[in-house]
Amino acid sequence: MSQKQEEENPAEETGEEKQDTQEKEGILPERAEEAKLKAKYPSLGQKPGGSDFLMKRLQKGVWGIISYPLSLEPKGVLGMKSVEQKYFDSGDYNMAKAKMKNKQLPSAGPDKNLVTGDHIPTPQDLPQRKSSLVTSKLAG
Amino acid sequence: VVADIISTVEFNHTGELLATGDKGGRVVIFQREQEVSGEGWRVLQLSKNQVHRRGEYNVYSTFQSHEPEFDYLKSLEIEEKINKIRWLPQQNAAYFLLSTNDKTVKLWKVSERDKRPEGYNLKDEEGRLRDPATITTLRVPVLRPMDLMVEATPRRVFANAHTYHINSISVNSDYETYMSADDLRINLWNFEITNQSFNIVDIKPANMEELTEVITAAEFHPHHCNTFVYSSSKGTIRLCDMRASALCDRHTKFFEEPEDPSNRSFFSEIISSISDVKFSHSGRYIMTRDYLTVKVWDLNMENRPIETYQVHDYLRSKLCSLYENDCIFDKFECVWNGSDSVIMTGSYNNFFRMFDRNTKRDVTLEASRENSKPRAILKPRKVCVGGKRRKDEISVDSLDFSKKILHTAWHPSENIIAVAATNNLYIFQDKVN
């Protein structure tokens, strides 16, 4: 999201351009919207349905695809976001999954000074395990 | 909870069962309770004013259909989200359905068990093996009634046939085969064979740089087992006949509405992308959904649709921000009612729209907790486009684009609809006589 803001055209629309947009709006709201978009992202290509963007959609999530910063990358017909979750390998993937599951663990910061072994853990201290049968809310 | 987001809804062929799939890979099946039927004329006489409660849907079975996987070869994560569920027609006491995520289709059998065998010779009631030396007599195990248990078991797993993400599955009218479609290919399967499938459509260009469109949805004809259609990101539909050739790359019919080039804009192709295609029950028409409209096509006329319905045309002046927040890529589904006289599709702000093809009247309704007490009548909603906003209207700028209704289903014969609003399921019924 922040990348988008960077790319917003810092130069204000001149009075002339504003009038132009308003005229277009009378003709075709789509064109006015297009003008708005092009004003924000001047580097937007002429052909939105180009093969590059379709290709990115097809290869969603594949490691090794260079991700363009959001500001430069116009989205293809099929809504390819240029930033997808990518993993270096299966170990990386498993670590990321483990990190998500252990979000309830206390942060390492202040506890780093604690000497381990001082505190005997009790069941309440242990991180909550994901229950083996997670029922859907609809069935609950 | 993200995992609770409903990603597909489907009634079975009788309407007795309603299945939902969610982002967490779970399937929940609801069953309609048997209607309270009078036990003969005596009941009716005693309680003249008794309202016969139409059956309600209650949870019947829930199971984990797909788990998240990791493709080690490509270093990519395979989501467990259920993209589509399709029921098979019932042929015996058990129910069968197909459920699919991005890569793997599974055939699930849902069956009831209300008896269990008791009195084994070699093991005791807890299943522990008995010492054979203690067995002095022989008995025949008997079946005793037990509390009803509904079990779901995976009967077939159809894997490794799709390089790209599966967007559709469709059961053929021969009940022996089905198809699965991804962005570039469509495969034909036999239910009994999991280790091979026939590729019937392949639109992958030899040079990927030349790729201009992808497959967005596909469906078999309801009666002709040789005919199917698939839609594309360019707003076209192709009808194929499998008798013509083994590989149906050349279509039999090509449906496309001509576009006025002077109306073309940056958004034109994006909003023309078809997100869903459905045959009518009659098999005579197809309905397509693109970002702003629903169109009905006559199979006999390829050059333009016979009907076009505006779902939320007021969004045309919001395309810039809808592009920025990705909403312009939302994939709405569309459904026919049982008699093909009414069509329904979802919109934003938890609104959904119905169009009566005969009277040409349409209505906008809302699926929300605040407005839906049980048995309450839904009030039609209206979006105010500009100028003065009436009291009950909602202005375009106040619409909540995070509340989108992408998935809806219509009972095959009755006016009962299921509407998925993010992680809530609503079931509505029309009691008009």
Side-chain angles (χ1 to χ4, degrees):
Chain A
M1 269 312 180
S2 58
Q3 286 165 317
K4 270 189 195 147
Q5 280 154 20
E6 275 168 38
E7 198 51 27
E8 240 170 53
N9 198 349
E12 270 83 74
E13 266 185 309
T14 64
E16 222 177 50
E17 282 173 4
K18 274 206 177 111
Q19 198 177 25
D20 215 21
T21 312
Q22 276 161 12
E23 273 173 11
K24 277 187 192 154
E25 203 155 334
I27 300 167
L28 205 65
E30 264 180 66
R31 288 274 172 78
E33 292 296 301
E34 179 174 5
K36 236 189 264 179
L37 194 68
K38 291 223 161 111
K40 277 192 181 172
Y41 308 102
S43 57
L44 212 56
Q46 285 296 350
K47 273 189 162 292
S51 62
D52 286 341
F53 319 120
L54 286 180
M55 275 246 305
K56 290 206 60 168
R57 165 203 161 108
L58 298 177
Q59 291 166 341
K60 180 173 88 160
V62 173
W63 167 68
I65 293 291
I66 299 161
S67 72
Y68 295 96
L70 214 57
S71 53
L72 294 178
E73 182 64 45
K75 278 173 259 194
V77 169
L78 302 146
M80 195 48 230
K81 267 203 163 80
S82 59
V83 180
E84 287 287 341
Q85 183 71 49
K86 293 181 178 41
Y87 304 98
F88 184 76
D89 61 13
S90 61
D92 185 25
Y93 169 79
N94 286 318
M95 292 256 308
K97 286 281 149 185
K99 224 181 268 181
M100 264 167 44
K101 282 182 186 167
N102 290 340
K103 267 200 182 124
Q104 287 124 343
L105 279 177
S107 63
D111 293 330
K112 264 200 176 124
N113 297 326
L114 278 179
V115 176
T116 58
D118 266 4
H119 177 66
I120 296 170
T122 61
Q124 285 86 341
D125 295 345
L126 294 174
Q128 212 174 4
R129 286 190 68 211
K130 183 179 167 184
S131 66
S132 52
L133 187 69
V134 185
T135 49
S136 158
K137 199 187 85 163
L138 290 179
Chain B
V1 181
V2 170
D4 283 343
I5 294 174
I6 300 170
S7 49
T8 184
V9 191
E10 187 82 355
F11 280 100
N12 75 338
H13 293 257
T14 60
E16 183 205 352
L17 298 179
L18 174 66
T20 62
D22 67 22
K23 216 158 185 263
R26 291 166 304 206
V27 172
V28 181
I29 301 177
F30 298 85
Q31 183 187 45
R32 194 176 187 194
E33 296 304 323
Q34 292 304 317
E35 286 186 44
V36 174
S37 54
E39 280 167 353
W41 59 268
R42 231 174 75 182
V43 172
L44 288 171
Q45 272 191 299
L46 282 172
S47 47
K48 249 187 267 190
N49 297 328
Q50 179 182 36
V51 174
H52 283 275
R53 282 266 136 114
R54 298 217 121 204
E56 293 182 344
Y57 285 85
N58 297 313
V59 178
Y60 177 67
S61 170
T62 128
F63 56 94
Q64 186 77 32
S65 172
H66 287 71
E67 297 273 5
E69 287 174 61
F70 189 74
D71 182 336
Y72 295 94
L73 196 62
K74 295 184 192 159
S75 289
L76 84 93
E77 183 179 7
I78 301 169
E79 265 196 298
E80 67 273 32
K81 173 169 76 96
I82 307 294
N83 292 335
K84 285 281 172 357
I85 288 175
R86 288 289 182 264
W87 289 94
L88 270 68
Q90 196 174 6
Q91 291 171 308
N92 54 33
Y95 302 104
F96 287 88
L97 61 81
L98 285 175
S99 73
T100 187
N101 68 349
D102 282 339
K103 295 287 183 181
T104 304
V105 185
K106 294 188 184 180
L107 176 69
W108 286 88
K109 175 181 177 183
V110 182
S111 50
E112 295 181 4
R113 191 198 290 255
D114 60 358
K115 298 179 193 42
R116 68 153 177 258
E118 284 176 21
Y120 284 103
N121 290 291
L122 295 176
K123 46 182 182 170
D124 65 21
E125 293 313 314
E126 271 85 61
R128 288 184 299 239
L129 288 174
R130 292 168 68 187
D131 179 1
T134 64
I135 300 171
T136 52
T137 59
L138 203 59
R139 57 185 176 171
V140 178
V142 291
L143 290 175
R144 292 245 148 78
M146 59 181 254
D147 288 338
L148 178 68
M149 201 166 74
V150 182
E151 306 174 302
T153 45
R155 302 297 289 169
R156 305 273 187 276
V157 178
F158 305 92
N160 303 322
H162 286 278
T163 307
Y164 305 101
H165 296 316
I166 298 174
N167 52 55
S168 311
I169 46 175
S170 178
V171 179
N172 204 350
S173 52
D174 62 11
Y175 304 159
E176 287 185 0
T177 58
Y178 76 93
M179 71 158 137
S180 54
D182 67 32
D183 290 326
L184 295 180
R185 299 191 177 101
I186 302 180
N187 294 330
L188 179 71
W189 301 83
N190 181 301
F191 280 109
E192 299 304 313
I193 299 167
T194 58
N195 60 359
Q196 30 170 330
S197 64
F198 288 105
N199 175 241
I200 53 177
V201 172
D202 188 339
I203 65 169
K204 183 175 184 216
N207 181 3
M208 282 297 269
E209 298 287 312
E210 293 169 329
L211 182 68
T212 54
E213 67 182 324
V214 296
I215 298 169
T216 52
E219 196 181 47
F220 267 118
H221 190 282
H223 316 307
H224 304 309
C225 56
N226 52 284
T227 304
F228 65 92
V229 292
Y230 68 91
S231 58
S232 86
S233 53
K234 279 185 143 176
T236 64
I237 307 102
R238 288 170 178 79
L239 183 142
C240 299
D241 187 332
M242 295 196 289
R243 297 169 300 188
S245 70
L247 187 61
C248 298
D249 277 356
R250 285 167 58 197
H251 53 262
T252 304
K253 286 186 191 253
F254 181 71
F255 299 85
E256 184 179 33
E257 183 169 25
E259 189 201 8
D260 183 357
S262 65
N263 284 343
R264 193 155 179 86
S265 77
F266 174 82
F267 304 108
S268 297
E269 188 169 324
I270 302 175
I271 62 173
S272 73
S273 175
I274 293 174
S275 49
D276 195 16
V277 67
K278 292 265 172 46
F279 271 101
S280 63
H281 292 89
S282 63
R284 168 92 192 263
Y285 304 103
I286 47 176
M287 167 168 54
T288 58
R289 174 73 154 96
D290 52 61
Y291 191 60
L292 298 177
T293 73
V294 187
K295 295 182 170 138
V296 177
W297 306 72
D298 186 321
L299 283 191
N300 299 319
M301 187 162 77
E302 299 166 57
N303 60 353
R304 59 179 171 83
I306 57 169
E307 294 154 31
T308 300
Y309 300 95
Q310 301 295 332
V311 181
H312 37 217
D313 197 58
Y314 45 77
L315 294 184
R316 224 175 266 272
S317 56
K318 293 248 164 250
L319 290 176
C320 179
S321 43
L322 291 169
Y323 177 88
E324 288 181 294
N325 62 19
D326 278 351
C327 283
I328 204 174
F329 303 106
D330 284 337
K331 294 178 175 48
F332 291 95
E333 292 170 7
C334 54
V335 289
W336 299 87
N337 73 338
S339 58
D340 299 334
S341 59
V342 183
I343 57 183
M344 173 169 70
T345 189
S347 177
Y348 294 105
N349 211 71
N350 279 349
F351 288 170
F352 57 99
R353 305 260 285 135
M354 287 187 196
F355 302 92
D356 189 317
R357 298 176 60 217
N358 299 325
T359 66
K360 299 301 175 197
R361 287 169 61 179
D362 63 83
V363 68
T364 305
L365 299 170
E366 181 180 0
S368 76
R369 282 187 190 276
E370 301 83 51
N371 303 330
S372 309
K373 291 194 295 270
R375 319 237 161 253
I377 295 176
L378 291 179
K379 208 175 63 157
R381 311 286 292 164
K382 191 137 162 63
V383 176
C384 160
V385 182
K388 281 183 88 165
R389 184 180 77 88
R390 289 204 196 90
K391 197 180 76 134
D392 281 343
E393 291 179 354
I394 180 163
S395 77
V396 181
D397 296 311
S398 318
L399 293 174
D400 188 343
F401 291 98
S402 67
K403 292 189 181 159
K404 49 195 95 175
I405 292 182
L406 304 172
H407 314 287
T408 60
W410 203 307
H411 189 286
S413 53
E414 296 186 37
N415 279 347
I416 300 173
I417 57 174
V419 175
T422 318
N423 50 3
N424 291 308
L425 181 70
Y426 293 85
I427 301 178
F428 301 114
Q429 183 172 26
D430 181 8
K431 284 200 186 256
V432 172
N433 292 331

